[in-house]
Amino acid sequence: MLGRHKRTTSIDSIFWREWQQYQGCLYNCCLRRMRGNQTEAEDVLGMAMLRAREAWRTSSKPIDNVKVWLVRLVNNLCTNLLKKRDRLFSCEAKEELWVSQEEEPDLAA
């Protein structure tokens, strides 16, 4: 039986090999989903890497198709970030509308 350190090192080396193999494809998925915004695509890719590594280490089940699993993770993170951004902009727009109505009450009617 492998010691805890050797097992973790082995799991990490396998993960990093798989991650590096698909990183370019994953970045392109992020870039496409984030509508060409490179900064947001890089942010999502970084979050995906951290989440994937943690899931890889803690999962009790083997991952049958690593590429599909990683692409799904990236797509889910992009979707969540886009929803969060849309909610934030929606709240800001409502707040702007409310403030402008307070400043010019004649236009609000």
Side-chain angles (χ1 to χ4, degrees):
M1 180 110 189
L2 288 175
R4 180 178 170 86
H5 178 69
K6 280 189 175 184
R7 189 172 53 240
T8 302
T9 303
S10 175
I11 289 170
D12 279 347
S13 65
I14 294 168
F15 170 77
W16 289 118
R17 186 176 52 226
E18 294 288 337
W19 178 261
Q20 289 173 346
Q21 180 179 352
Y22 300 117
Q23 186 173 2
C25 171
L26 296 171
Y27 176 73
N28 289 334
C29 289
C30 291
L31 194 58
R32 189 171 39 257
R33 289 294 314 276
M34 301 314 293
R35 301 174 185 130
N37 187 319
Q38 292 179 352
T39 303
E40 287 183 343
E42 290 169 4
D43 288 346
V44 171
L45 189 63
M47 288 187 292
M49 184 268 304
L50 293 173
R51 289 198 184 174
R53 182 172 178 254
E54 184 60 29
W56 189 279
R57 295 174 97 190
T58 60
S59 179
S60 59
K61 299 185 306 183
I63 299 167
D64 294 329
N65 191 330
V66 175
K67 183 178 180 181
V68 169
W69 181 73
L70 289 170
V71 168
R72 180 176 290 164
L73 175 69
V74 161
N75 279 322
N76 289 342
L77 287 171
C78 287
T79 298
N80 292 343
L81 186 62
L82 288 169
K83 284 180 182 177
K84 184 178 180 179
R85 185 176 68 184
D86 288 347
R87 280 193 306 266
L88 178 64
F89 286 136
S90 175
C91 288
E92 287 177 358
K94 287 178 185 176
E95 190 174 292
E96 272 184 32
L97 180 61
W98 184 77
V99 169
S100 67
Q101 289 176 349
E102 287 292 314
E103 292 171 355
E104 299 177 31
D106 295 336
L107 297 178

